[in-house]
Amino acid sequence: MRRQNLALVMGALAAHGPSSRAEVAERTGLTRAAVGSLVNELAAAGLTTDLGLAPSGRVGRPGTALALSGQGPAGLGLEIAVEHLGACVIDLHGTVRTWVEIEAPNRGRKPGEVLAELSDVAAAALQHAAAQGLHPVGTVVAVPGLVDAASGTVEQAPNLGWRDVPVAASPAQWLPATLRAVPVEVDNEANLGALAELWHGSTRPPDFVHVSAQAGIGAAVVIGGRLFRGARGFAGELGHVPVQPDGPVCTCGARGCLEQYAGEETVLRAAGLAGVGGDHIKTLTDEALAGNRRVLDALDRAGRALGTALSGAVNLLDPSALVLGGAYAELGEWLLPGMRAELAARVTVRPWNSEALQPSELGRRGPLLGAGTVTIRRIIEDPARYAAWRNTREVRKSS
Ligand SMILES: [Zn+2]
């Protein structure tokens, strides 16, 4: 009961920002005395802070305003992408306090080398964060591949050329020393992009399908504000949904998968841009803006294939929104018309609300943003669990 009440108070502060004890009591349905005692516990764990006397027009004693702490516990997000590495630190308010990204051609590179460079990026982010009084208490790594979440192993990341890489199993071998007592998790970039949309997006619908493309095509399904992971954690492989049963052979061995129509490589090839270096999405955008017919046709074809595959998801799940995220959000202008046309023709609920499909404002920042926020959301949802973990850590330090 107390555990739930601690979460209620944290949740109210997270949702409404700085508030008086009376306001928290009103929003949570708890008594002021109960809120006072719960807040003491949260403050002792370094989760809330007293902002001093709040300006109050009310008669009686002015209440002091409470807020989630802008210092202390934070979330560290790390990202391994095909073309870059990133790190961010996010505070309890969900504010990005540090963001570091470097270009890194990771395709085909040895995992050890990539992790060593990621460690340097993490160290730079940690230094910025420490200067602001922030200390990450959880690390989440976003990767473009299938992950066994329980062991933190990247089972397959075809775009990196990785198989069975135990990223979280041996963090001491690659993470900066200051992070070695902090839990490390690994998750798929598409999942984390969808979670970022849920936590940081402009609309935050409770039920949506998030389609993203960084190197491959991924999707994630959020139902009732929770990520749906599937029986083994591999839900969301929209890239291998068939859009043409007798189509070209896919990297997965099947024929006519979505990735063979809307994957980055296919689109570049169809656009006559195979083998170009640099930022592929920017190249496609520039060419499309210049009116390059081949590029426009390739993007239209990709949009239609995306719409065809997604109509299956919409008919199956009836989500309130579809979000086009990752790098493909930047190509929305050219992908969305074809997607909308196929959805309108194939979704059985008619007329289909084409406004339900929107590009994400977070775009390519999604996966790293999500990775940094996982730890924070977990603390807000269960501050007692965090406080207990923190205590065992203090005990270990002092013994
Ligand atoms: Zn496939």
Side-chain angles (χ1 to χ4, degrees):
M1 191 64 178
R2 189 167 182 84
R3 188 169 183 164
Q4 276 171 25
N5 289 343
L6 285 165
L8 272 178
V9 173
M10 280 295 280
L13 289 172
H16 299 278
S19 317
S20 70
R21 283 170 174 74
E23 285 167 329
V24 174
E26 212 173 285
R27 286 173 189 143
T28 55
L30 298 164
T31 65
R32 266 201 229 196
V35 169
S37 140
L38 293 162
V39 164
N40 289 343
E41 205 168 313
L42 294 171
L47 296 175
T48 60
T49 177
D50 245 311
L51 296 177
L53 288 182
S56 162
R58 293 185 201 170
V59 181
R61 266 193 316 162
T64 56
L66 291 166
L68 295 182
S69 177
Q71 290 193 328
L76 174 68
L78 299 176
E79 183 181 20
I80 301 169
V82 175
E83 300 286 342
H84 71 263
L85 295 171
C88 74
V89 176
I90 293 182
D91 69 16
L92 283 173
H93 300 272
T95 305
V96 175
R97 301 284 291 272
T98 297
W99 188 279
V100 184
E101 248 182 74
I102 61 161
E103 278 183 36
N106 293 324
R107 202 184 285 269
R109 234 173 131 197
K110 280 195 186 124
E113 268 176 42
V114 174
L115 292 174
E117 194 170 12
L118 183 63
S119 179
D120 293 342
V121 175
L126 288 174
Q127 203 178 352
H128 282 146
Q132 301 175 72
L134 290 164
H135 305 287
V137 294
T139 303
V140 176
V141 189
V143 296
L146 292 180
V147 175
D148 176 38
S151 66
T153 300
V154 178
E155 299 208 334
Q156 287 178 45
N159 293 302
L160 292 173
W162 289 14
R163 267 197 102 89
D164 297 321
V165 178
V167 171
S170 53
Q173 283 172 23
W174 63 276
L175 272 176
T178 46
L179 276 179
R180 284 176 193 165
V182 170
V184 181
E185 290 167 49
V186 186
D187 205 344
N188 173 273
E189 59 164 19
N191 286 342
L192 292 166
L195 287 170
E197 198 62 38
L198 179 67
W199 297 326
H200 297 276
S202 50
T203 54
R204 308 183 196 183
D207 305 295
F208 64 96
V209 177
H210 185 266
V211 194
S212 59
Q214 216 85 308
I217 291 172
V221 181
V222 172
I223 299 172
R226 297 267 163 201
L227 191 65
F228 176 78
R229 290 181 180 273
R232 290 166 303 154
F234 297 157
E237 284 298 304
L238 190 76
H240 301 284
V241 164
V243 292
Q244 192 128 20
D246 57 352
V249 177
C250 180
T251 50
C252 72
R255 278 187 180 276
C257 296
L258 175 63
E259 210 153 286
Q260 295 306 309
Y261 295 85
E264 195 179 289
E265 262 177 53
T266 315
V267 173
L268 286 168
R269 220 181 308 124
L273 296 169
V276 295
D279 187 333
H280 297 156
I281 301 298
K282 188 170 178 308
T283 307
L284 286 169
T285 308
D286 290 345
E287 290 296 318
L289 283 171
N292 181 328
R293 196 67 252 166
R294 256 185 104 177
V295 171
L296 293 172
D297 288 346
L299 289 173
D300 182 61
R301 196 169 89 123
R304 288 181 179 277
L306 281 162
T308 301
L310 274 175
S311 64
V314 173
N315 284 333
L316 191 65
L317 301 168
D318 187 23
S320 51
L322 296 174
V323 183
L324 184 64
Y328 273 15
E330 295 162 37
L331 297 171
E333 189 180 336
W334 302 283
L335 294 173
L336 291 172
M339 291 175 80
R340 292 202 169 110
E342 291 299 329
L343 283 157
R346 294 173 190 277
V347 170
T348 52
V349 179
R350 293 195 183 139
W352 186 69
N353 169 24
S354 68
E355 289 303 302
L357 170 62
Q358 291 295 341
S360 162
E361 286 161 19
L362 306 174
R364 294 193 223 193
R365 288 164 57 88
L368 184 52
L369 197 53
T373 313
V374 167
T375 301
I376 295 313
R377 295 302 312 182
R378 215 171 272 158
I379 294 174
I380 290 167
E381 281 171 20
D382 194 355
R385 183 169 170 267
Y386 165 75
W389 175 79
R390 184 175 178 270
N391 286 339
T392 57
R393 218 175 148 208
E394 298 289 313
V395 168
R396 227 179 285 145
K397 251 191 233 167
S398 60
S399 62

